[in-house]
Amino acid sequence: MKIFYLGILAVLWLTGCASHVHQLVREDGVPFIAGELVHDSGEGNRLVLEAPNRRYQARGFAVERQTNLADLRKRYYGVNPKHWDRIFSGLDTDHVTLAVETVARDNDGVEVSCRFVWISGAKPEGVCTDQAGAEFLVRFD
């Protein structure tokens, strides 16, 4: 029985520490041909964007988690108090918004500034801006 519980504990520990990996979705008019966003691993967070002649990378950036409790309280407190209790206690993460803001650099020091926002369970998307000021919509799967 002890081995059974240790096995369950190991599975929960491994899945709780797993990073989320998203692959870039290629779009027309966007200079990036490949890339990935890895998050929820703290210092291991990374963004890689590949253009035909450059590879941009950012590492160790923060992923901000926000929940608008005031708005959710108005929506759920009186109507669905059990749901509100789960949201307030942190057990219901469906209402968490994630945000990343980072600067990716290539080996020559050329920078691309990126901002991504998404709801927990959804796919990240946002805007990257090159040094000339051109903005590109970037989406991940």
Side-chain angles (χ1 to χ4, degrees):
M1 191 60 131
K2 186 189 294 186
I3 294 174
F4 173 74
Y5 287 117
L6 289 175
I8 290 175
L9 181 62
V11 169
L12 291 174
W13 180 71
L14 289 173
T15 58
C17 295
S19 296
H20 297 280
V21 179
H22 303 279
Q23 298 299 317
L24 179 76
V25 176
R26 288 192 61 186
E27 302 277 343
D28 291 338
V30 176
F32 308 118
I33 57 173
E36 71 178 5
L37 173 64
V38 179
H39 63 92
D40 285 350
S41 58
E43 288 297 314
N45 291 342
R46 76 176 179 274
L47 171 66
V48 177
L49 297 170
E50 293 185 24
N53 56 352
R54 296 193 186 276
R55 178 182 171 95
Y56 301 94
Q57 291 189 34
R59 295 185 175 275
F61 50 83
V63 178
E64 294 181 24
R65 295 173 169 267
Q66 299 175 1
T67 305
N68 187 343
L69 290 176
D71 183 46
L72 293 170
R73 185 176 194 279
K74 289 177 189 175
R75 188 179 311 157
Y76 294 110
Y77 183 74
V79 178
N80 191 344
K82 286 185 180 181
H83 192 177
W84 164 250
D85 289 343
R86 289 184 55 77
I87 293 168
F88 188 73
S89 68
L91 295 174
D92 185 340
T93 59
D94 291 343
H95 305 282
V96 174
T97 301
L98 301 156
V100 168
E101 189 166 337
T102 189
V103 176
R105 294 175 182 84
D106 73 353
N107 290 335
D108 298 328
V110 178
E111 298 180 344
V112 174
S113 175
C114 297
R115 295 177 314 276
F116 305 112
V117 177
W118 67 100
I119 296 172
S120 180
K123 297 171 177 144
E125 63 181 46
V127 175
C128 290
T129 307
D130 65 11
Q131 288 181 321
E135 292 186 346
F136 308 102
L137 178 65
V138 177
R139 294 186 312 124
F140 295 90
D141 68 0

